[in-house]
Every structure is written in C-alpha cells, then in structure tokens.
Amino acid sequence: MPHAAQLAIITGASTGIGYELARECAEAGFDLLIVADEHAIETAAEGLRQFGTKVEAVEADLSSVEGVEKLLANLGGRPVAALLANAGRGLGRAFIDQDWDDVRRVIDTNVLGTTYLLHAVVPGMKERGSGRVLITGSIAGFIPGTFQAVYNASKAYLDSFSFALRHELKDSGVTVTCLMPGATETDFFERADMMDTKVGTTKKDDAAKVAKDGFQAMMKGEGDVVSGWHNKLQTAIASVTPAGWLAEAHRKMAEPGTAG
Ligand SMILES: NC(=O)c1ccc[n+]([C@@H]2O[C@H](COP(=O)([O-])OP(=O)(O)OC[C@H]3O[C@@H](n4cnc5c(N)ncnc54)[C@H](OP(=O)(O)O)[C@@H]3O)[C@@H](O)[C@H]2O)c1
C-alpha cells in the first residue's frame, strides 16, 4: 500500500484497460494524474474520485511531443511513484488501404509519445532509487499483424523496449513491467475500424481482469504479464512458430469480412 501522497500517472485512462488501471491505482491509495486526448478524461476523473484519492485530469494528445510536454507541465516536477504508459490505438485493414494520417497517428501515439514520456519521467525515478513502470504492450507484438500490420509492429517495439529498459534499470530500484493483453473488450476494435473482422466480433477478455493482473504484476515488480491462460498458450505457441505461419493465421482473425 503506497503512502497517500504517492503519485501515479496513467495514460489512456478515459476508457478500457487504462481506466481500469487507474481504478486499481486509486483503490491502492495512489493520487492520480490521468491523461487522454478527449474530454471524456474529465468524466473518468469524476468516476475515479469516489475512491477518495486526488485525481487530476489532463487532456493532451500524446501522439505529439507538445502533448507529452503538456502532461509534463501539469506534472510540474513532482516525483512519480508509478508510470502506467498505456495510451495506444489500433488500426485495421490492409496497409496500402490505410490513410497515412491514421498510420502516422498509431506510430506517433504508441511509439513516439510513449518513448518520449518514459524518457522524461524514468530518470527521476532512477535518481530517487524507486519507481514502478508499466508499459501496455500486447501479445500482438509477437505476431506479424496481417491486416493490422502497423499496430502489431508498434507493439513489437513496445514489448521489446520494455524488456530492454527493465534490464538497463536492474538493481536501480525502478522496475519495468510489460502488460501484454490479448483481445480485450474495449472500444479499441471499433476505433480501429475492425468491427467486420473475426477478432473484432468474437468474445474477448474482461478489461478489469486484464488491468488487475497488470497492476499486481507492476506492484510486484515482475517483468511481464500475459493475462489469461489462452493468451499465455498463444504466446508460447507464437514463440516457436515461423513468422510466415503466424502472419497467415493473423489474416484469419483480422481480414475485413471475416466477422462471424
Ligand atoms: N483491447 C485490446 O484487445 C488490446 C489488446 C492488447 C493491447 N491493448 C492496448 O491496451 C491499451 C489500451 O487500449 P484499450 O483496449 O483500453 O482501448 P481504448 O478503450 O480505445 O483506450 C485507449 C485509450 O488511449 C487513449 N489514447 C489514444 N490515443 C491517444 C493519444 N494520441 N493521446 C492521448 N490518449 C490517447 C484513449 O483516449 P481518447 O479516447 O481520448 O483518445 C483511451 O483513453 C492500448 O495501448 C492498446 O494498444 C489493447
């Protein structure tokens, strides 16, 4: 249980897994600085205040350097006990049919914004000799994402980055945990324009359970967490399967027109 004054930053906390991560942090007694790029973050903040800790909401577009700097300005140099870098977006359909601005937004949010935020916050944690970092990667990072190519590649980056950063910070008092959800019931697939695909329409994991598993792993300082036995099995199989087979299997889940 953290001291009441300890601060957790949760990005992408307006909905889905991020909201549930923020709820876990609030229930554990952290003060919260929550971020998303739409006004719904204020509604999320109202909901989270019921747990009795301080909740500040920042509306910032974390796909841009300016957006991350807006968050940092709101932080104002305060020590961060936990950083949950969760904001992210998906994008379905064939790469060559995707709009370039949408492609760029996925890369800028998932890769650039997340990396810049970590680069700004983690040094302070290391200096103080304590801190918890959770990065929301994905089991998608292990699978070439046919009809979701850019998104899966962005998550491969985050999964890899998370393990490397963890090992750079070994024995520093700062731990890095990679949360790797499987398909989870949130607004994600609707926003990614994937509601005509098999993965967009089949039953998915519960966001609250995924977040609980992620939060507990972060607090224990574990390296990675895959929520759910079926996802653990999928990850184990992916690690010994040729990339070409995985890419073809992904087509069956993500190709437009595969909805059941
Ligand atoms: N759902 C899944 O199946 C699944 C599986 C594996 C990993 N994940 C990962 O889990 C994380 C959360 O996704 P979710 O499933 O909970 O989806 P979600 O409900 O769509 O939540 C995404 C969150 O990220 C925020 N966000 C997106 N782009 C942003 C930007 N440029 N600046 C600031 N905030 C931004 C959204 O806020 P706004 O609404 O304000 O944009 C929202 O709060 C993502 O990193 C996603 O890649 C999801």
mmCIF file of all heavy atoms in Angstrom, residues 11-18 35-41 60-64 85-90 105 109-110 136-140 151 155 158 179-189 191 204 207, ligand 1:
data_model
loop_
_atom_site.group_PDB
_atom_site.id
_atom_site.type_symbol
_atom_site.label_atom_id
_atom_site.label_comp_id
_atom_site.label_asym_id
_atom_site.label_seq_id
_atom_site.Cartn_x
_atom_site.Cartn_y
_atom_site.Cartn_z
ATOM 1 N N THR A 11 -1.737 6.914 -18.563
ATOM 2 C CA THR A 11 -2.130 7.486 -19.848
ATOM 3 C C THR A 11 -3.176 6.585 -20.513
ATOM 4 O O THR A 11 -3.200 5.372 -20.294
ATOM 5 C CB THR A 11 -0.915 7.659 -20.791
ATOM 6 O OG1 THR A 11 -0.455 6.374 -21.218
ATOM 7 C CG2 THR A 11 0.216 8.423 -20.125
ATOM 8 N N GLY A 12 -4.048 7.242 -21.279
ATOM 9 C CA GLY A 12 -5.134 6.483 -21.914
ATOM 10 C C GLY A 12 -6.117 5.966 -20.888
ATOM 11 O O GLY A 12 -6.631 4.853 -20.999
ATOM 12 N N ALA A 13 -6.400 6.806 -19.884
ATOM 13 C CA ALA A 13 -7.221 6.354 -18.752
ATOM 14 C C ALA A 13 -8.694 6.723 -18.895
ATOM 15 O O ALA A 13 -9.465 6.520 -17.966
ATOM 16 C CB ALA A 13 -6.666 6.941 -17.454
ATOM 17 N N SER A 14 -9.100 7.231 -20.054
ATOM 18 C CA SER A 14 -10.505 7.636 -20.178
ATOM 19 C C SER A 14 -11.420 6.428 -20.331
ATOM 20 O O SER A 14 -12.587 6.480 -19.925
ATOM 21 C CB SER A 14 -10.682 8.587 -21.365
ATOM 22 O OG SER A 14 -10.211 8.002 -22.560
ATOM 23 N N THR A 15 -10.921 5.355 -20.927
ATOM 24 C CA THR A 15 -11.761 4.173 -21.190
ATOM 25 C C THR A 15 -10.922 2.895 -21.063
ATOM 26 O O THR A 15 -9.705 2.947 -20.882
ATOM 27 C CB THR A 15 -12.320 4.201 -22.645
ATOM 28 O OG1 THR A 15 -11.212 4.327 -23.549
ATOM 29 C CG2 THR A 15 -13.287 5.350 -22.867
ATOM 30 N N GLY A 16 -11.579 1.772 -21.205
ATOM 31 C CA GLY A 16 -10.929 0.481 -21.398
ATOM 32 C C GLY A 16 -9.931 0.083 -20.315
ATOM 33 O O GLY A 16 -10.149 0.288 -19.120
ATOM 34 N N ILE A 17 -8.835 -0.501 -20.759
ATOM 35 C CA ILE A 17 -7.824 -1.045 -19.834
ATOM 36 C C ILE A 17 -7.228 0.074 -18.982
ATOM 37 O O ILE A 17 -6.989 -0.093 -17.786
ATOM 38 C CB ILE A 17 -6.718 -1.778 -20.641
ATOM 39 C CG1 ILE A 17 -7.308 -2.979 -21.393
ATOM 40 C CG2 ILE A 17 -5.584 -2.235 -19.723
ATOM 41 C CD1 ILE A 17 -6.372 -3.597 -22.445
ATOM 42 N N GLY A 18 -7.004 1.251 -19.586
ATOM 43 C CA GLY A 18 -6.403 2.374 -18.864
ATOM 44 C C GLY A 18 -7.279 2.863 -17.722
ATOM 45 O O GLY A 18 -6.776 3.174 -16.631
ATOM 46 N N VAL A 35 -4.538 10.879 -18.115
ATOM 47 C CA VAL A 35 -4.380 11.597 -19.375
ATOM 48 C C VAL A 35 -5.089 10.861 -20.502
ATOM 49 O O VAL A 35 -5.025 9.635 -20.588
ATOM 50 C CB VAL A 35 -2.883 11.700 -19.771
ATOM 51 C CG1 VAL A 35 -2.685 12.753 -20.854
ATOM 52 C CG2 VAL A 35 -2.005 11.971 -18.576
ATOM 53 N N ALA A 36 -5.730 11.646 -21.381
ATOM 54 C CA ALA A 36 -6.217 11.139 -22.674
ATOM 55 C C ALA A 36 -6.416 12.366 -23.554
ATOM 56 O O ALA A 36 -6.277 13.502 -23.084
ATOM 57 C CB ALA A 36 -7.505 10.354 -22.523
ATOM 58 N N ASP A 37 -6.709 12.154 -24.821
ATOM 59 C CA ASP A 37 -6.752 13.335 -25.689
ATOM 60 C C ASP A 37 -8.159 13.863 -25.942
ATOM 61 O O ASP A 37 -8.336 14.808 -26.679
ATOM 62 C CB ASP A 37 -5.987 13.110 -27.003
ATOM 63 C CG ASP A 37 -6.654 12.121 -27.929
ATOM 64 O OD1 ASP A 37 -7.538 11.377 -27.457
ATOM 65 O OD2 ASP A 37 -6.282 12.090 -29.113
ATOM 66 N N GLU A 38 -9.166 13.247 -25.316
ATOM 67 C CA GLU A 38 -10.523 13.777 -25.481
ATOM 68 C C GLU A 38 -11.110 14.136 -24.124
ATOM 69 O O GLU A 38 -10.617 13.702 -23.086
ATOM 70 C CB GLU A 38 -11.394 12.753 -26.216
ATOM 71 C CG GLU A 38 -11.002 12.682 -27.701
ATOM 72 C CD GLU A 38 -11.699 11.557 -28.448
ATOM 73 O OE1 GLU A 38 -12.756 11.095 -27.994
ATOM 74 O OE2 GLU A 38 -11.147 11.148 -29.497
ATOM 75 N N HIS A 39 -12.228 14.896 -24.176
ATOM 76 C CA HIS A 39 -12.801 15.439 -22.951
ATOM 77 C C HIS A 39 -13.308 14.350 -21.988
ATOM 78 O O HIS A 39 -13.451 14.596 -20.790
ATOM 79 C CB HIS A 39 -13.927 16.419 -23.301
ATOM 80 C CG HIS A 39 -14.372 17.209 -22.125
ATOM 81 N ND1 HIS A 39 -13.564 18.152 -21.506
ATOM 82 C CD2 HIS A 39 -15.524 17.162 -21.407
ATOM 83 C CE1 HIS A 39 -14.209 18.655 -20.474
ATOM 84 N NE2 HIS A 39 -15.402 18.077 -20.392
ATOM 85 N N ALA A 40 -13.529 13.139 -22.510
ATOM 86 C CA ALA A 40 -14.018 12.028 -21.661
ATOM 87 C C ALA A 40 -13.100 11.774 -20.467
ATOM 88 O O ALA A 40 -13.512 11.145 -19.483
ATOM 89 C CB ALA A 40 -14.130 10.769 -22.508
ATOM 90 N N ILE A 41 -11.886 12.270 -20.509
ATOM 91 C CA ILE A 41 -10.963 12.065 -19.388
ATOM 92 C C ILE A 41 -11.501 12.757 -18.119
ATOM 93 O O ILE A 41 -11.264 12.285 -17.002
ATOM 94 C CB ILE A 41 -9.517 12.547 -19.734
ATOM 95 C CG1 ILE A 41 -8.486 11.991 -18.746
ATOM 96 C CG2 ILE A 41 -9.419 14.055 -19.852
ATOM 97 C CD1 ILE A 41 -8.292 10.518 -18.784
ATOM 98 N N ALA A 60 -4.546 15.813 -23.303
ATOM 99 C CA ALA A 60 -3.344 16.056 -24.109
ATOM 100 C C ALA A 60 -3.230 14.973 -25.169
ATOM 101 O O ALA A 60 -3.487 13.796 -24.892
ATOM 102 C CB ALA A 60 -2.095 16.042 -23.219
ATOM 103 N N ASP A 61 -2.828 15.392 -26.358
ATOM 104 C CA ASP A 61 -2.624 14.436 -27.443
ATOM 105 C C ASP A 61 -1.218 13.863 -27.349
ATOM 106 O O ASP A 61 -0.237 14.518 -27.717
ATOM 107 C CB ASP A 61 -2.844 15.143 -28.789
ATOM 108 C CG ASP A 61 -2.620 14.202 -29.954
ATOM 109 O OD1 ASP A 61 -2.286 13.016 -29.719
ATOM 110 O OD2 ASP A 61 -2.789 14.647 -31.108
ATOM 111 N N LEU A 62 -1.120 12.657 -26.859
ATOM 112 C CA LEU A 62 0.188 12.046 -26.592
ATOM 113 C C LEU A 62 0.844 11.470 -27.847
ATOM 114 O O LEU A 62 1.864 10.793 -27.757
ATOM 115 C CB LEU A 62 0.052 10.966 -25.520
ATOM 116 C CG LEU A 62 -0.445 11.469 -24.156
ATOM 117 C CD1 LEU A 62 -0.655 10.298 -23.199
ATOM 118 C CD2 LEU A 62 0.505 12.485 -23.542
ATOM 119 N N SER A 63 0.276 11.786 -29.011
ATOM 120 C CA SER A 63 0.965 11.401 -30.254
ATOM 121 C C SER A 63 1.969 12.473 -30.655
ATOM 122 O O SER A 63 2.714 12.298 -31.615
ATOM 123 C CB SER A 63 -0.034 11.186 -31.395
ATOM 124 O OG SER A 63 -0.572 12.413 -31.810
ATOM 125 N N SER A 64 1.981 13.573 -29.904
ATOM 126 C CA SER A 64 2.893 14.665 -30.262
ATOM 127 C C SER A 64 3.817 14.999 -29.092
ATOM 128 O O SER A 64 3.458 14.812 -27.927
ATOM 129 C CB SER A 64 2.095 15.917 -30.647
ATOM 130 O OG SER A 64 1.460 16.447 -29.505
ATOM 131 N N ALA A 85 2.186 3.626 -18.743
ATOM 132 C CA ALA A 85 2.155 4.145 -20.116
ATOM 133 C C ALA A 85 1.287 3.214 -20.955
ATOM 134 O O ALA A 85 1.758 2.214 -21.492
ATOM 135 C CB ALA A 85 3.577 4.226 -20.668
ATOM 136 N N ASN A 86 0.027 3.574 -21.034
ATOM 137 C CA ASN A 86 -0.973 2.650 -21.601
ATOM 138 C C ASN A 86 -1.649 3.178 -22.858
ATOM 139 O O ASN A 86 -2.186 2.400 -23.643
ATOM 140 C CB ASN A 86 -2.012 2.374 -20.495
ATOM 141 C CG ASN A 86 -3.283 1.764 -21.023
ATOM 142 O OD1 ASN A 86 -3.366 0.560 -21.240
ATOM 143 N ND2 ASN A 86 -4.296 2.600 -21.273
ATOM 144 N N ALA A 87 -1.612 4.500 -23.069
ATOM 145 C CA ALA A 87 -2.350 5.069 -24.216
ATOM 146 C C ALA A 87 -1.881 4.416 -25.507
ATOM 147 O O ALA A 87 -0.685 4.232 -25.730
ATOM 148 C CB ALA A 87 -2.124 6.573 -24.288
ATOM 149 N N GLY A 88 -2.831 4.068 -26.329
ATOM 150 C CA GLY A 88 -2.467 3.446 -27.596
ATOM 151 C C GLY A 88 -3.685 3.322 -28.479
ATOM 152 O O GLY A 88 -4.818 3.424 -28.012
ATOM 153 N N ARG A 89 -3.440 3.149 -29.756
ATOM 154 C CA ARG A 89 -4.556 2.952 -30.676
ATOM 155 C C ARG A 89 -4.215 1.928 -31.740
ATOM 156 O O ARG A 89 -3.048 1.718 -32.063
ATOM 157 C CB ARG A 89 -4.996 4.270 -31.294
ATOM 158 C CG ARG A 89 -3.902 5.087 -31.917
ATOM 159 C CD ARG A 89 -4.324 6.542 -32.108
ATOM 160 N NE ARG A 89 -5.714 6.698 -32.450
ATOM 161 C CZ ARG A 89 -6.561 7.488 -31.770
ATOM 162 N NH1 ARG A 89 -6.154 8.183 -30.739
ATOM 163 N NH2 ARG A 89 -7.808 7.592 -32.131
ATOM 164 N N GLY A 90 -5.252 1.274 -32.233
ATOM 165 C CA GLY A 90 -5.084 0.246 -33.252
ATOM 166 C C GLY A 90 -5.486 0.781 -34.617
ATOM 167 O O GLY A 90 -5.963 1.909 -34.742
ATOM 168 N N ARG A 105 -0.603 8.326 -36.868
ATOM 169 C CA ARG A 105 -1.126 8.523 -35.516
ATOM 170 C C ARG A 105 -0.869 7.288 -34.640
ATOM 171 O O ARG A 105 -0.590 7.404 -33.454
ATOM 172 C CB ARG A 105 -2.624 8.828 -35.601
ATOM 173 C CG ARG A 105 -3.160 9.485 -34.368
ATOM 174 C CD ARG A 105 -4.464 10.218 -34.660
ATOM 175 N NE ARG A 105 -5.147 10.550 -33.416
ATOM 176 C CZ ARG A 105 -4.742 11.488 -32.586
ATOM 177 N NH1 ARG A 105 -3.672 12.203 -32.857
ATOM 178 N NH2 ARG A 105 -5.396 11.721 -31.468
ATOM 179 N N THR A 109 1.525 7.766 -31.490
ATOM 180 C CA THR A 109 0.963 7.550 -30.149
ATOM 181 C C THR A 109 1.670 6.388 -29.458
ATOM 182 O O THR A 109 2.164 6.528 -28.333
ATOM 183 C CB THR A 109 -0.558 7.235 -30.229
ATOM 184 O OG1 THR A 109 -1.215 8.287 -30.924
ATOM 185 C CG2 THR A 109 -1.148 7.078 -28.836
ATOM 186 N N ASN A 110 1.698 5.240 -30.143
ATOM 187 C CA ASN A 110 2.184 4.026 -29.488
ATOM 188 C C ASN A 110 3.704 4.060 -29.280
ATOM 189 O O ASN A 110 4.199 3.616 -28.237
ATOM 190 C CB ASN A 110 1.821 2.791 -30.316
ATOM 191 C CG ASN A 110 0.313 2.628 -30.486
ATOM 192 O OD1 ASN A 110 -0.460 3.474 -30.072
ATOM 193 N ND2 ASN A 110 -0.097 1.553 -31.115
ATOM 194 N N THR A 136 1.947 -0.816 -21.516
ATOM 195 C CA THR A 136 0.986 -1.727 -22.142
ATOM 196 C C THR A 136 1.461 -2.059 -23.551
ATOM 197 O O THR A 136 1.329 -1.254 -24.473
ATOM 198 C CB THR A 136 -0.441 -1.122 -22.179
ATOM 199 O OG1 THR A 136 -0.816 -0.747 -20.854
ATOM 200 C CG2 THR A 136 -1.437 -2.147 -22.704
ATOM 201 N N GLY A 137 2.078 -3.227 -23.662
ATOM 202 C CA GLY A 137 2.428 -3.768 -24.974
ATOM 203 C C GLY A 137 1.268 -4.601 -25.457
ATOM 204 O O GLY A 137 0.109 -4.210 -25.310
ATOM 205 N N SER A 138 1.542 -5.780 -25.964
ATOM 206 C CA SER A 138 0.461 -6.674 -26.404
ATOM 207 C C SER A 138 1.051 -8.005 -26.814
ATOM 208 O O SER A 138 2.211 -8.062 -27.274
ATOM 209 C CB SER A 138 -0.274 -6.066 -27.601
ATOM 210 O OG SER A 138 -1.224 -6.995 -28.109
ATOM 211 N N ILE A 139 0.240 -9.059 -26.725
ATOM 212 C CA ILE A 139 0.698 -10.322 -27.320
ATOM 213 C C ILE A 139 0.790 -10.155 -28.839
ATOM 214 O O ILE A 139 1.487 -10.921 -29.506
ATOM 215 C CB ILE A 139 -0.182 -11.539 -26.929
ATOM 216 C CG1 ILE A 139 -1.596 -11.423 -27.471
ATOM 217 C CG2 ILE A 139 -0.206 -11.748 -25.443
ATOM 218 C CD1 ILE A 139 -2.371 -12.748 -27.378
ATOM 219 N N ALA A 140 0.120 -9.121 -29.372
ATOM 220 C CA ALA A 140 0.219 -8.826 -30.815
ATOM 221 C C ALA A 140 1.663 -8.529 -31.222
ATOM 222 O O ALA A 140 2.022 -8.680 -32.388
ATOM 223 C CB ALA A 140 -0.669 -7.642 -31.186
ATOM 224 N N TYR A 151 0.046 -1.609 -36.410
ATOM 225 C CA TYR A 151 -0.254 -1.732 -34.975
ATOM 226 C C TYR A 151 0.604 -2.827 -34.334
ATOM 227 O O TYR A 151 1.257 -2.600 -33.304
ATOM 228 C CB TYR A 151 -1.742 -2.030 -34.752
ATOM 229 C CG TYR A 151 -2.037 -2.342 -33.308
ATOM 230 C CD1 TYR A 151 -2.048 -1.317 -32.351
ATOM 231 C CD2 TYR A 151 -2.246 -3.654 -32.861
ATOM 232 C CE1 TYR A 151 -2.282 -1.596 -31.010
ATOM 233 C CE2 TYR A 151 -2.475 -3.938 -31.535
ATOM 234 C CZ TYR A 151 -2.496 -2.897 -30.606
ATOM 235 O OH TYR A 151 -2.706 -3.172 -29.278
ATOM 236 N N LYS A 155 3.546 -2.611 -31.361
ATOM 237 C CA LYS A 155 3.518 -3.337 -30.085
ATOM 238 C C LYS A 155 4.759 -4.229 -29.940
ATOM 239 O O LYS A 155 5.222 -4.479 -28.833
ATOM 240 C CB LYS A 155 2.214 -4.136 -29.963
ATOM 241 C CG LYS A 155 0.997 -3.236 -29.768
ATOM 242 C CD LYS A 155 1.010 -2.572 -28.387
ATOM 243 C CE LYS A 155 0.072 -1.396 -28.278
ATOM 244 N NZ LYS A 155 -0.040 -0.822 -26.943
ATOM 245 N N LEU A 158 7.170 -1.936 -28.440
ATOM 246 C CA LEU A 158 6.963 -1.698 -27.002
ATOM 247 C C LEU A 158 7.336 -2.918 -26.164
ATOM 248 O O LEU A 158 7.939 -2.774 -25.092
ATOM 249 C CB LEU A 158 5.505 -1.297 -26.731
ATOM 250 C CG LEU A 158 5.117 0.108 -27.175
ATOM 251 C CD1 LEU A 158 3.632 0.351 -26.930
ATOM 252 C CD2 LEU A 158 5.946 1.178 -26.459
ATOM 253 N N LEU A 179 2.792 -5.172 -19.705
ATOM 254 C CA LEU A 179 1.471 -5.812 -19.718
ATOM 255 C C LEU A 179 1.142 -6.172 -21.163
ATOM 256 O O LEU A 179 1.102 -5.290 -22.027
ATOM 257 C CB LEU A 179 0.414 -4.847 -19.141
ATOM 258 C CG LEU A 179 -1.044 -5.274 -19.313
ATOM 259 C CD1 LEU A 179 -1.343 -6.611 -18.642
ATOM 260 C CD2 LEU A 179 -1.975 -4.191 -18.752
ATOM 261 N N MET A 180 0.912 -7.460 -21.395
ATOM 262 C CA MET A 180 0.639 -7.914 -22.768
ATOM 263 C C MET A 180 -0.751 -8.539 -22.822
ATOM 264 O O MET A 180 -0.894 -9.766 -22.660
ATOM 265 C CB MET A 180 1.721 -8.895 -23.203
ATOM 266 C CG MET A 180 3.088 -8.211 -23.285
ATOM 267 S SD MET A 180 4.394 -9.247 -23.900
ATOM 268 C CE MET A 180 4.734 -10.251 -22.487
ATOM 269 N N PRO A 181 -1.768 -7.686 -23.044
ATOM 270 C CA PRO A 181 -3.117 -8.250 -23.126
ATOM 271 C C PRO A 181 -3.303 -8.999 -24.439
ATOM 272 O O PRO A 181 -2.625 -8.727 -25.434
ATOM 273 C CB PRO A 181 -4.026 -7.010 -23.115
ATOM 274 C CG PRO A 181 -3.161 -5.847 -22.748
ATOM 275 C CD PRO A 181 -1.770 -6.226 -23.168
ATOM 276 N N GLY A 182 -4.251 -9.939 -24.430
ATOM 277 C CA GLY A 182 -4.794 -10.480 -25.666
ATOM 278 C C GLY A 182 -6.000 -9.629 -26.039
ATOM 279 O O GLY A 182 -6.192 -8.538 -25.482
ATOM 280 N N ALA A 183 -6.820 -10.107 -26.968
ATOM 281 C CA ALA A 183 -8.003 -9.331 -27.377
ATOM 282 C C ALA A 183 -8.897 -9.074 -26.165
ATOM 283 O O ALA A 183 -9.300 -10.011 -25.472
ATOM 284 C CB ALA A 183 -8.751 -10.084 -28.462
ATOM 285 N N THR A 184 -9.166 -7.809 -25.904
ATOM 286 C CA THR A 184 -9.861 -7.396 -24.685
ATOM 287 C C THR A 184 -11.067 -6.536 -25.063
ATOM 288 O O THR A 184 -11.003 -5.738 -25.999
ATOM 289 C CB THR A 184 -8.885 -6.593 -23.788
ATOM 290 O OG1 THR A 184 -7.720 -7.407 -23.560
ATOM 291 C CG2 THR A 184 -9.502 -6.239 -22.448
ATOM 292 N N GLU A 185 -12.135 -6.691 -24.293
ATOM 293 C CA GLU A 185 -13.399 -5.994 -24.586
ATOM 294 C C GLU A 185 -13.292 -4.509 -24.213
ATOM 295 O O GLU A 185 -13.437 -4.150 -23.054
ATOM 296 C CB GLU A 185 -14.514 -6.669 -23.771
ATOM 297 C CG GLU A 185 -15.901 -6.498 -24.319
ATOM 298 C CD GLU A 185 -16.060 -7.076 -25.725
ATOM 299 O OE1 GLU A 185 -15.984 -8.301 -25.888
ATOM 300 O OE2 GLU A 185 -16.248 -6.264 -26.643
ATOM 301 N N THR A 186 -13.007 -3.678 -25.199
ATOM 302 C CA THR A 186 -12.932 -2.218 -25.000
ATOM 303 C C THR A 186 -13.405 -1.561 -26.312
ATOM 304 O O THR A 186 -13.825 -2.250 -27.229
ATOM 305 C CB THR A 186 -11.479 -1.744 -24.729
ATOM 306 O OG1 THR A 186 -10.712 -1.925 -25.919
ATOM 307 C CG2 THR A 186 -10.814 -2.486 -23.588
ATOM 308 N N ASP A 187 -13.235 -0.236 -26.389
ATOM 309 C CA ASP A 187 -13.614 0.476 -27.625
ATOM 310 C C ASP A 187 -12.557 0.301 -28.734
ATOM 311 O O ASP A 187 -12.715 0.809 -29.841
ATOM 312 C CB ASP A 187 -13.727 1.992 -27.352
ATOM 313 C CG ASP A 187 -14.819 2.292 -26.342
ATOM 314 O OD1 ASP A 187 -15.679 1.416 -26.135
ATOM 315 O OD2 ASP A 187 -14.794 3.394 -25.760
ATOM 316 N N PHE A 188 -11.476 -0.383 -28.402
ATOM 317 C CA PHE A 188 -10.302 -0.477 -29.281
ATOM 318 C C PHE A 188 -10.643 -0.906 -30.714
ATOM 319 O O PHE A 188 -10.211 -0.272 -31.690
ATOM 320 C CB PHE A 188 -9.323 -1.478 -28.638
ATOM 321 C CG PHE A 188 -8.095 -1.775 -29.441
ATOM 322 C CD1 PHE A 188 -6.945 -1.019 -29.303
ATOM 323 C CD2 PHE A 188 -8.083 -2.833 -30.338
ATOM 324 C CE1 PHE A 188 -5.804 -1.304 -30.038
ATOM 325 C CE2 PHE A 188 -6.949 -3.127 -31.077
ATOM 326 C CZ PHE A 188 -5.817 -2.361 -30.931
ATOM 327 N N PHE A 189 -11.404 -1.989 -30.874
ATOM 328 C CA PHE A 189 -11.635 -2.550 -32.220
ATOM 329 C C PHE A 189 -12.571 -1.661 -33.041
ATOM 330 O O PHE A 189 -12.413 -1.538 -34.248
ATOM 331 C CB PHE A 189 -12.156 -3.990 -32.102
ATOM 332 C CG PHE A 189 -11.101 -4.922 -31.577
ATOM 333 C CD1 PHE A 189 -11.013 -5.229 -30.234
ATOM 334 C CD2 PHE A 189 -10.143 -5.452 -32.438
ATOM 335 C CE1 PHE A 189 -10.015 -6.054 -29.738
ATOM 336 C CE2 PHE A 189 -9.134 -6.277 -31.957
ATOM 337 C CZ PHE A 189 -9.067 -6.579 -30.608
ATOM 338 N N ARG A 191 -12.706 1.621 -32.715
ATOM 339 C CA ARG A 191 -11.870 2.762 -33.114
ATOM 340 C C ARG A 191 -10.890 2.389 -34.218
ATOM 341 O O ARG A 191 -10.476 3.237 -35.000
ATOM 342 C CB ARG A 191 -11.071 3.270 -31.911
ATOM 343 C CG ARG A 191 -11.933 3.988 -30.927
ATOM 344 C CD ARG A 191 -11.109 4.406 -29.745
ATOM 345 N NE ARG A 191 -11.906 5.229 -28.874
ATOM 346 C CZ ARG A 191 -11.516 5.619 -27.681
ATOM 347 N NH1 ARG A 191 -10.330 5.283 -27.249
ATOM 348 N NH2 ARG A 191 -12.292 6.361 -26.944
ATOM 349 N N LYS A 204 -14.257 -11.462 -25.973
ATOM 350 C CA LYS A 204 -12.894 -11.061 -25.583
ATOM 351 C C LYS A 204 -12.726 -11.028 -24.063
ATOM 352 O O LYS A 204 -13.700 -11.180 -23.327
ATOM 353 C CB LYS A 204 -12.603 -9.689 -26.201
ATOM 354 C CG LYS A 204 -12.483 -9.754 -27.731
ATOM 355 C CD LYS A 204 -12.102 -8.431 -28.336
ATOM 356 C CE LYS A 204 -13.277 -7.673 -28.919
ATOM 357 N NZ LYS A 204 -14.033 -8.389 -29.933
ATOM 358 N N ALA A 207 -11.691 -6.239 -19.422
ATOM 359 C CA ALA A 207 -10.661 -5.201 -19.220
ATOM 360 C C ALA A 207 -10.273 -5.061 -17.742
ATOM 361 O O ALA A 207 -9.100 -4.822 -17.419
ATOM 362 C CB ALA A 207 -11.149 -3.870 -19.778
HETATM 363 N N1 LIG B 1 -8.278 -4.073 -26.446
HETATM 364 C C1 LIG B 1 -7.384 -4.951 -26.823
HETATM 365 O O1 LIG B 1 -7.712 -6.023 -27.361
HETATM 366 C C2 LIG B 1 -5.917 -4.716 -26.548
HETATM 367 C C3 LIG B 1 -5.044 -5.815 -26.638
HETATM 368 C C4 LIG B 1 -3.684 -5.612 -26.399
HETATM 369 C C5 LIG B 1 -3.224 -4.350 -26.053
HETATM 370 N N2 LIG B 1 -4.097 -3.313 -25.974
HETATM 371 C C6 LIG B 1 -3.548 -1.995 -25.638
HETATM 372 O O2 LIG B 1 -4.167 -1.520 -24.465
HETATM 373 C C7 LIG B 1 -4.078 -0.106 -24.426
HETATM 374 C C8 LIG B 1 -5.445 0.453 -24.072
HETATM 375 O O3 LIG B 1 -6.353 0.122 -25.112
HETATM 376 P P1 LIG B 1 -7.875 -0.237 -24.836
HETATM 377 O O4 LIG B 1 -8.119 -1.594 -25.388
HETATM 378 O O5 LIG B 1 -8.244 0.035 -23.425
HETATM 379 O O6 LIG B 1 -8.599 0.750 -25.863
HETATM 380 P P2 LIG B 1 -9.437 2.100 -25.646
HETATM 381 O O7 LIG B 1 -10.618 1.841 -24.779
HETATM 382 O O8 LIG B 1 -9.639 2.614 -27.035
HETATM 383 O O9 LIG B 1 -8.454 3.046 -24.821
HETATM 384 C C9 LIG B 1 -7.390 3.746 -25.417
HETATM 385 C C10 LIG B 1 -7.017 4.891 -24.504
HETATM 386 O O10 LIG B 1 -5.860 5.542 -25.066
HETATM 387 C C11 LIG B 1 -6.154 6.925 -25.242
HETATM 388 N N3 LIG B 1 -5.453 7.486 -26.386
HETATM 389 C C12 LIG B 1 -5.401 7.000 -27.652
HETATM 390 N N4 LIG B 1 -4.671 7.812 -28.415
HETATM 391 C C13 LIG B 1 -4.251 8.837 -27.621
HETATM 392 C C14 LIG B 1 -3.458 9.989 -27.834
HETATM 393 N N5 LIG B 1 -2.956 10.276 -29.037
HETATM 394 N N6 LIG B 1 -3.240 10.814 -26.789
HETATM 395 C C15 LIG B 1 -3.750 10.541 -25.574
HETATM 396 N N7 LIG B 1 -4.507 9.462 -25.305
HETATM 397 C C16 LIG B 1 -4.747 8.615 -26.330
HETATM 398 C C17 LIG B 1 -7.656 6.961 -25.444
HETATM 399 O O11 LIG B 1 -8.118 8.274 -25.151
HETATM 400 P P3 LIG B 1 -9.018 9.122 -26.186
HETATM 401 O O12 LIG B 1 -10.329 8.440 -26.261
HETATM 402 O O13 LIG B 1 -9.070 10.463 -25.556
HETATM 403 O O14 LIG B 1 -8.299 9.070 -27.495
HETATM 404 C C18 LIG B 1 -8.119 5.944 -24.419
HETATM 405 O O15 LIG B 1 -8.122 6.502 -23.140
HETATM 406 C C19 LIG B 1 -3.571 0.332 -25.794
HETATM 407 O O16 LIG B 1 -2.181 0.607 -25.711
HETATM 408 C C20 LIG B 1 -3.795 -0.898 -26.658
HETATM 409 O O17 LIG B 1 -2.882 -0.970 -27.731
HETATM 410 C C21 LIG B 1 -5.421 -3.473 -26.208
#
